[in-house]
Amino acid sequence: MTIGIGVIGCGVMGADHARLLQEGIPGGRLVAVQDLDPRRAAGVAAAAGDVRVVDTARDLIADCDIQAILIASPDETHAALAIACVEAGKPALCEKPLAATVEECRSVIAAEMKGGRRLVQVGFMRRFDPGYRAMKRSLDGEKLGRPLFLHCVHRNAVAPPYITSALVVASSAVHEIDIARFLLGEEFAAVTVIGARSSRKAPTRQPQLMILESASGVVVTVEAFVDAQYGYDVRAELVCEEGAVSLAPNPPVSFRHAGRDGFAIEADWRARFADAYREQLRQWVASIETGRPVGSSAWDGYAASSTAAAASEASAAGRRTAISLGERPAFYAD
Ligand code: ISE
């Protein structure tokens, strides 16, 4: 059976998901798109071929040709749309974050548990990236011993002006929060955030250094810098008792040219994580067929947003802040 998919939100990410679906995801077909700006929706539909434009997000969720929904609209709309999908009994892949507030994340969890079926996946695509997956395998293989540190770098070349110093963690470093939870298989107990002085290229926004302490005592550092000018740069090194494992640069080739040797740097996350986005879609569609959820759950979305909220608090207060997520319901056991 081919699963009819609808995309809500035709901005940068909605358009990219529509393109990937149009290029071909086994078992899935893009049927319709929707955006508050009908011209933007029409542009994405035209680029994708035989795809309808639907007026409202609610119409798209109710559409009988659509069995699964991809939510890529602004963050403030995520929770209500994810809940509407759950109530319609349709699986939803929701771009990160799961919701704009921790309270809203809780309401998605409550709706999903009430319905009795795991239908919401959060688009933390790094869980599908070949590099992070290899890192996870080497950790699970137990050759390296227990993890001690995970050092991460998350640099963006540019960010829109609404990304304030506070949002650098919530919007960017939230990826590291999710992937660190995935790699380490545990939650964080405390967080401290220190702001560096601002780059003269972006005087209103401070680069942030987040230090997370896991429940078992692993320390995770994240440099989150959204004005790196030179490109999109994500790094991670996991240091363990008997060795360390790092992400290798992503490009498949390296160049020697004009007296230099090195790798091209991707412009943004769509290029850097292209394989991960495609694999995320492939596994999401396959999971709808099998009924076995994959990727980040609504609980993972809640845990990431709660940890990011604690980081904002830590940053504002200038001190180490405890994180308390409460008990993970058995409904979300891996
Ligand atoms: C952006 O919003 C994303 O979703 C990207 O995945 C992330 O790497 C980037 O830092 C964010 O600004």
Side-chain angles (χ1 to χ4, degrees):
M1 183 190 111
T2 301
I3 293 162
I5 299 170
V7 173
I8 301 177
C10 295
V12 172
M13 286 321 301
D16 202 53
H17 287 303
R19 179 185 62 80
L20 290 172
L21 287 166
Q22 194 270 332
E23 283 174 8
I25 296 294
R29 187 171 73 84
L30 180 61
V31 170
V33 297
Q34 184 274 337
D35 193 276
L36 275 186
D37 177 352
R39 273 178 315 179
R40 195 155 75 157
V44 169
D50 183 18
V51 168
R52 281 189 281 127
V53 173
V54 174
D55 282 348
T56 70
R58 302 283 161 170
D59 291 343
L60 185 137
I61 294 169
D63 197 297
C64 343
D65 295 333
I66 293 176
Q67 288 84 43
I69 293 102
L70 205 151
I71 303 171
S73 46
D75 298 357
E76 320 78 71
T77 64
H78 287 185
L81 293 173
I83 292 172
C85 292
V86 166
E87 287 172 355
K90 297 188 180 181
L93 174 58
C94 180
E95 259 303 326
K96 66 88 191 162
L98 172 59
T101 67
V102 172
E103 215 27 69
E104 284 179 350
C105 289
R106 286 205 189 91
S107 66
V108 178
I109 288 181
E112 204 176 33
M113 289 181 69
K114 184 168 167 219
R117 252 174 88 197
R118 293 256 304 262
L119 288 171
V120 178
Q121 182 180 331
V122 185
F124 281 122
M125 75 298 184
R126 291 189 187 182
R127 291 185 182 219
F128 300 93
D129 173 69
Y132 282 113
R133 291 188 85 89
M135 197 177 241
K136 171 96 176 134
R137 279 195 302 276
S138 55
L139 191 61
D140 292 346
E142 285 172 7
K143 281 201 190 82
L144 298 176
R146 290 186 316 167
L148 307 173
F149 290 107
L150 173 62
H151 298 297
C152 308
V153 165
H154 185 151
R155 297 183 193 149
N156 275 344
V158 280
Y162 65 82
I163 302 292
T164 56
S165 299
L167 279 179
V168 170
V169 167
S171 168
S172 293
V174 69
H175 278 290
E176 273 75 17
I177 294 173
D178 182 71
I179 203 67
R181 292 179 60 257
F182 169 73
L183 291 171
L184 302 175
E186 60 174 332
E187 304 293 359
F188 291 109
V191 59
T192 309
V193 178
I194 307 164
R197 67 178 175 193
S198 302
S199 155
R200 283 174 294 177
K201 299 277 181 190
T204 59
R205 203 154 41 198
Q206 276 184 292
Q208 307 285 325
L209 181 73
M210 175 167 70
I211 303 165
L212 293 154
E213 297 162 56
S214 83
S216 76
V218 181
V219 173
V220 176
T221 63
V222 184
E223 176 203 304
F225 177 30
V226 300
D227 298 289
Q229 309 290 321
Y230 62 84
Y232 184 73
D233 190 6
V234 164
R235 303 184 208 169
E237 182 186 23
L238 184 62
V239 182
C240 305
E241 290 166 327
E242 293 177 55
V245 52
S246 303
L247 287 184
N250 189 52
V253 288
S254 113
F255 292 95
R256 285 180 177 207
H257 176 65
R260 288 171 193 268
D261 181 5
F263 298 94
I265 301 171
E266 287 91 352
D268 72 22
W269 55 90
R270 288 168 300 175
R272 167 62 181 85
F273 288 109
D275 291 342
Y277 279 115
R278 203 171 295 109
E279 184 60 11
Q280 171 179 255
L281 280 176
R282 196 188 67 72
Q283 290 202 31
W284 175 55
V285 170
S287 78
I288 297 169
E289 278 283 336
T290 62
R292 276 193 299 279
V294 293
S296 297
S297 65
W299 172 266
D300 295 313
Y302 156 74
S305 290
S306 271
T307 305
S312 300
E313 210 183 304
S315 161
R319 66 174 126 75
R320 182 177 181 271
T321 300
I323 301 168
S324 158
L325 299 179
E327 191 75 10
R328 180 200 286 244
F331 185 77
Y332 291 107
D334 284 331

